[in-house]
Amino acid sequence: MLKQNKPNWCVGCGNYGILAALKKALSDLNLEPHNTVVIGGIGCGGMLPYWLHTYSFIGLHGRALAIATGIKLSKSTLHVIVVAGDGDTYGIGMNHFINCARRDVNILCIVSNNGVYGLTKGQASPTAPRGFQSPTTPNGNPYNGINPLNLALASGCNFVSRGYAGNVAHLIELIKQGISHKGFALLDVLQPCTTFNKQFNYAYYQEKTKPIEINNINSDIFVAYKLANIDTNIPIGIYYKKKYEE
Ligand code: SF4
């Protein structure tokens, strides 16, 4: 894939935090570039593989997980990571998301979740809550937003986590845990879009996010559902990790 020198994201875009965290995590884990593949979706966050020194692939909208599945099945020794947006993963690509989760394909799926389709001028995405104002919903989003953590748990995902692009140190550890997990891992990252999402900005997430101790691994799915449905704050960390039989 043709690489460009540096990211072309807007000033302050949360994708910078995700890129920094992913680079550091890959370095900390000593993953060799020739054994690592990062697959992007279509969207601002999906362009992230351009700026990594690994193998990479950017496919059609919503199909990043399908491509990643094919790569992993064809060469299981590769470390396979997907970076795609919330519209990409939970909208047009939702079918692939559900099926990857239930098949437990050994992939880390990082979702750059900003509530909008940033690349196409900020339309409300599937995770935008009811009432959310965007250029295409000036009177408020008439639909309920998807809770991706509930969706992942219900789909059989055995590693469900959430990070925040403004807390890079915490995000690095989540990425390392997600890569090390032997199965399908979701890392939904709250990613401020400084251009099109003025409601869920850094100030909002700085106040709302509450880190869970990284080594505090929960294997109780009912506790995970409770964490995923707290509305007073937003836990960031590992909501659920299944214990596999040895
Ligand atoms: Fe980032 Fe939003 Fe700009 Fe896209 S439109 S690069 S998500 S700030």
Side-chain angles (χ1 to χ4, degrees):
M1 187 176 70
L2 180 66
K3 304 267 185 178
Q4 299 173 358
N5 289 335
K6 56 184 182 179
N8 57 359
W9 295 314
C10 307
V11 174
C13 175
N15 284 316
Y16 288 103
I18 298 175
L19 177 60
L22 182 53
K23 280 184 176 176
K24 183 70 168 66
L26 294 174
S27 168
D28 285 356
L29 293 173
N30 289 317
L31 298 194
E32 298 160 309
H34 68 277
N35 281 325
T36 307
V37 189
V38 182
I39 297 111
I42 299 297
C44 299
M47 295 166 68
L48 186 147
Y50 273 115
W51 303 296
L52 284 171
H53 182 54
T54 64
Y55 281 108
S56 51
F57 195 111
I58 293 180
L60 297 174
H61 198 210
R63 310 302 171 213
L65 282 171
I67 293 161
T69 300
I71 291 171
K72 187 68 187 176
L73 292 183
S74 66
K75 191 167 183 186
S76 62
T77 53
L78 292 173
H79 303 285
V80 180
I81 300 164
V82 163
V83 183
D86 47 316
D88 206 339
T89 310
Y90 308 133
I92 190 170
M94 184 195 275
N95 169 36
H96 298 300
F97 176 75
I98 291 170
N99 282 296
C100 264
R102 77 177 177 85
R103 292 175 182 140
D104 209 12
V105 185
N106 192 355
I107 293 168
L108 169 62
C109 177
I110 301 173
V111 181
S112 183
N113 182 357
N114 56 24
V116 294
Y117 288 89
L119 196 65
T120 51
K121 301 286 180 276
Q123 301 93 330
S125 84
T127 58
R130 181 182 283 270
F132 175 74
Q133 288 184 309
S134 72
T136 51
T137 55
N139 297 321
N141 180 17
Y143 309 117
N144 292 324
I146 285 171
N147 179 326
L149 306 163
N150 280 342
L151 178 66
L153 291 166
S155 303
C157 182
N158 290 328
F159 183 106
V160 179
S161 63
R162 169 167 267 174
Y164 164 45
N167 189 339
V168 173
H170 189 261
L171 191 56
I172 292 166
E173 297 308 314
L174 287 176
I175 293 173
K176 285 159 67 175
Q177 292 267 354
I179 291 172
S180 303
H181 177 71
K182 306 289 182 217
F184 184 73
L186 169 66
L187 175 52
D188 181 87
V189 184
L190 303 166
Q191 179 255 310
C193 169
T194 48
T195 298
F196 293 113
N197 191 336
K198 305 297 184 190
Q199 184 176 346
F200 300 109
N201 54 18
Y202 285 101
Y204 175 87
Y205 287 129
Q206 287 298 138
E207 187 189 333
K208 282 282 186 183
T209 53
K210 300 282 181 260
I212 303 169
E213 168 59 41
I214 289 287
N215 294 321
N216 186 8
I217 307 289
N218 166 53
S219 298
D220 183 330
I221 198 162
F222 296 106
V223 172
Y225 275 115
K226 278 188 185 163
L227 286 170
N229 290 281
I230 292 175
D231 53 14
T232 49
N233 59 52
I234 308 172
I236 51 171
I238 301 171
Y239 284 48
Y240 178 69
K241 181 176 177 181
K242 184 175 179 176
K243 280 190 186 144
Y244 290 96
E245 305 269 325
E246 292 297 331

